[in-house]
Amino acid sequence: MTPGFTLYNTLTRTKETFEPLNPPFVGMYVCGPTVYGEPHLGHARSAVTFDLLFRYLKDLGYRVRYVRNITDVGHLENDADEGEDKLAKKARLEQLEPMEVAQYYTDRYHAEMQRLNVLPPSIEPRASGHMMEQIELVQDILDKGYAYESNGSIYFDVEKYARSHDYGKLSGRVLEDMIANSRELDGQSDKAGACDFALWKKASEGHIMRWKSPWSDGFPGWHLECSAMSVKYLGERFDIHGGGMDLMFPHHEAERAQNTVACGCDAARYWVHNNMITFNGQKMGKSLGNAINLEQLFKGDHPLLHGPVPPMTVRFFILQAHYRSTLDFSVEALTAAGKGLDRLLAAADTIDRILPSAVSDVDVADLEERCTAAMNDDLNSPVAISVLFDWVRIINQLNDGTRKISEADLRRMRTFFRRMVFDVLGLRDDNPAGAGDLVGPLVEMLLEMRAEAKRNKDWATSDLIRDRLAAVGILVKDGKDGTDWSLK
Ligand code: ZN
């Protein structure tokens, strides 16, 4: 008997047995990309992590409604609710309509996710398409007395909320410390408390992205969209809320507070966060010169790279670490991951060539139980992959006849191994063996026959083989170390 699926809940800081509120349905909300820049490795890690969770929940038989938003408004230049909207800034610099920028990067994001074999979510709502819901939510929080208006902007009253609620529980922060560490209000801010956050911001004169509201022409604060859209599509209580660890504060803490005021309860039951990435041991950042976006990575177009890195290698590399560990990218580690992936995919092919015996001397239950136990242990994909590698060795032994497997066991092994590799881990063979891969072995075979002809002093056959190969574009070169060949 394998234990049930356990998932680490950031809110309780424990691994909990996963029990959906309304089985077999599971509602999952994940904070999606901001669409004013090229998708990068951080996007890839978060998307692959929640794709793995989405795939595994479905594999367990749940019917999952997966909502992942597109942030196309309200993301200001710093977390203190100040500065220009990043998307509007990009639009201004490139002389484009903001929605043109949002569309372009949304399409870019989708294209890269497809290359990584990340399944599309069930619903992908946009912040700009849910302005009514966000304005209603602001009004609701105002009506309940946890927000105030200041010069046309609306702020959430964090200190009042914290007096009766566990503000800071998710991110493990204490409000008193936050207040002590926050910069003094400089008098320019409309906020009453240093830790308050914007629900609605009045647009300044030059601000291009603006909507009408009862308080001002303005735009929503960036925490608001996720509260409004998660509840709209998943209900006031739903199962899983996910995102990168960098979103835990202030974004998720604020989201939780907004939902708690509006609905009178915590919206999400399990909070799941993936850890961050580094490159060559350093935090990714433009200033460090190691900010590699996915297009550069896939094309090998960056000074830190030695060549293109296939998308499946990136996916496999991400899955080789547990999602709650930090992950350090380097050329060497990616190269090793690529070799491992090739071995795994080759074994998935080799299974089809194995001939069954009357009896088995392998235990397929070992493969099934150890993989399942690993996945049930808070999605421990690195352990599941190591079990698959144990079985790559066994598959190769079965293929060369040093071990035996019965027909029923072979069928069971093939089904489970492929289900793990392709359906659960979501790996894909982007270079399936085709006719092109036969050229090398065929030329070698012809050259062996030519060598045999030469040994028999059959110069006519030897020359015939050389000339016919030349006719199809293969150059044969005889040297003192033997015969070599190349494509013309
Ligand atoms: Zn969010």
Side-chain angles (χ1 to χ4, degrees):
M1 200 29 210
T2 46
F5 176 43
T6 61
L7 196 57
Y8 183 83
N9 189 352
T10 310
L11 192 60
T12 58
R13 285 167 177 66
T14 47
K15 259 187 234 175
E16 296 178 27
T17 300
F18 180 69
E19 282 166 17
L21 297 160
N22 185 26
F25 302 98
V26 170
M28 174 160 96
Y29 186 90
V30 174
C31 293
T34 47
V35 282
Y36 47 78
E38 276 293 324
H40 53 71
L41 274 172
H43 288 118
R45 186 169 199 198
S46 183
V48 168
T49 296
F50 292 101
D51 187 54
L52 178 69
L53 179 53
F54 184 35
R55 286 168 180 272
Y56 192 56
L57 288 169
K58 290 202 290 182
D59 190 73
L60 290 171
Y62 293 118
R63 292 183 56 187
V64 189
R65 184 181 295 162
Y66 175 17
V67 182
R68 188 185 65 203
N69 67 307
I70 297 275
T71 295
D72 59 357
V73 65
H75 207 102
L76 296 177
E77 274 177 306
N78 65 46
D79 285 347
D81 300 324
E82 305 297 336
E84 196 173 354
D85 185 305
K86 287 183 185 168
L87 204 149
K89 184 179 180 184
K90 187 107 188 164
R92 183 171 57 75
L93 293 174
E94 297 183 13
Q95 293 190 304
L96 295 166
E97 168 65 30
M99 283 304 128
E100 248 178 309
V101 178
Q103 188 64 54
Y104 175 79
Y105 287 114
T106 302
D107 293 346
R108 288 286 307 120
Y109 181 76
H110 287 159
E112 302 300 39
M113 291 307 114
Q114 226 164 35
R115 287 163 123 180
L116 288 165
N117 208 21
V118 167
L119 297 172
S122 326
I123 305 175
E124 194 171 46
R126 288 167 171 271
S128 63
H130 295 75
M131 220 35 82
M132 285 300 297
E133 290 84 348
Q134 294 184 74
I135 290 170
E136 275 171 24
L137 180 55
V138 175
Q139 189 61 57
D140 192 13
I141 296 171
L142 268 172
D143 292 345
K144 286 175 173 146
Y146 285 95
Y148 57 89
E149 182 174 350
S150 177
N151 294 326
S153 294
I154 311 291
Y155 293 94
F156 190 95
D157 188 340
V158 172
E159 279 179 54
K160 178 176 179 185
Y161 175 79
R163 282 198 285 275
S164 47
H165 298 85
D166 58 0
Y167 186 78
K169 184 181 177 189
L170 181 66
S171 55
R173 295 184 187 218
V174 179
L175 184 61
E176 287 71 35
D177 298 346
M178 287 188 257
I179 293 170
N181 293 331
S182 63
R183 281 175 299 159
E184 281 288 303
L185 289 176
D186 55 8
Q188 301 291 315
S189 176
D190 299 329
K191 292 180 190 181
C195 292
D196 297 350
F197 56 86
L199 297 174
W200 187 265
K201 283 286 283 182
K202 181 183 176 174
S204 58
E205 215 165 290
H207 200 100
I208 30 180
M209 295 177 84
R210 54 170 73 213
W211 288 264
K212 285 202 183 312
S213 81
W215 319 288
S216 61
D217 274 14
F219 54 95
W222 76 282
H223 314 307
L224 198 67
E225 60 179 278
C226 292
S227 285
M229 297 191 292
S230 59
V231 166
K232 178 179 169 91
Y233 295 110
L234 298 172
E236 291 191 348
R237 284 279 280 157
F238 55 91
D239 298 294
I240 299 169
H241 192 309
M245 225 153 86
D246 53 336
L247 295 178
M248 208 187 289
F249 188 88
H251 185 55
H252 289 160
E253 200 73 71
E255 241 194 274
R256 235 191 117 219
Q258 291 166 163
N259 282 114
T260 303
V261 169
C263 306
C265 63
D266 232 327
R269 178 134 157 53
Y270 304 89
W271 283 86
V272 180
H273 291 97
N274 65 276
N275 210 324
M276 299 290 98
I277 54 160
T278 51
F279 202 98
N280 293 339
Q282 284 187 301
K283 213 177 155 215
M284 300 272 291
K286 277 202 177 109
S287 54
L288 294 167
N290 65 352
I292 300 179
N293 67 46
L294 293 176
E295 187 177 36
Q296 291 170 324
L297 191 66
F298 299 156
K299 286 186 175 165
D301 180 19
H302 192 282
L304 285 177
L305 301 170
H306 301 162
V309 183
M312 265 318 105
T313 299
V314 175
R315 181 178 179 107
F316 186 62
F317 183 66
I318 291 171
L319 293 171
Q320 274 186 311
H322 189 254
Y323 74 91
R324 287 195 289 117
S325 316
T326 53
L327 178 59
D328 186 38
F329 281 81
S330 67
V331 168
E332 296 72 28
L334 284 166
T335 307
K339 285 182 183 151
L341 176 64
D342 287 347
R343 284 206 298 135
L344 197 60
L345 293 173
D349 266 354
T350 303
I351 291 183
D352 285 336
R353 296 198 293 274
I354 293 171
L355 299 172
S357 306
V359 289
S360 289
D361 60 12
V362 295
D363 179 14
V364 182
D366 166 85
L367 167 70
E368 295 168 340
E369 283 167 14
R370 285 165 65 216
C371 270
T372 306
M375 292 304 292
N376 278 347
D377 181 18
D378 189 29
L379 293 179
N380 203 331
S381 53
V383 171
I385 288 169
S386 73
V387 175
L388 290 174
F389 275 120
D390 289 345
W391 278 76
V392 166
R393 206 163 44 241
I394 293 171
I395 286 165
N396 291 331
Q397 288 166 341
L398 288 167
N399 188 46
D400 66 25
T402 51
R403 295 185 88 153
K404 293 183 179 62
I405 190 164
S406 71
E407 195 168 353
D409 279 350
L410 178 58
R411 214 176 302 127
R412 198 169 134 194
M413 177 180 77
R414 177 193 287 129
T415 305
F416 188 86
F417 192 87
R418 292 177 154 241
R419 195 178 103 209
M420 271 306 296
V421 171
F422 299 117
D423 302 339
V424 175
L425 298 176
L427 299 168
R428 183 178 59 198
D429 194 349
D430 285 336
N431 302 297
D437 299 307
L438 293 175
V439 171
L442 284 174
V443 173
E444 295 295 337
M445 188 179 82
L446 285 165
L447 292 181
E448 271 172 41
M449 290 164 74
R450 181 166 170 265
E452 181 64 18
K454 274 179 152 183
R455 274 193 293 275
N456 295 332
K457 304 203 175 347
D458 179 0
W459 310 117
T461 304
S462 162
D463 290 348
L464 178 69
I465 291 173
R466 185 196 60 209
D467 295 345
R468 293 295 291 269
L469 281 172
V472 296
I474 292 162
L475 275 185
V476 175
K477 279 167 276 181
D478 294 311
K480 61 179 182 351
D481 298 326
T483 303
D484 207 359
W485 66 277
S486 63
L487 293 171
K488 257 193 227 174

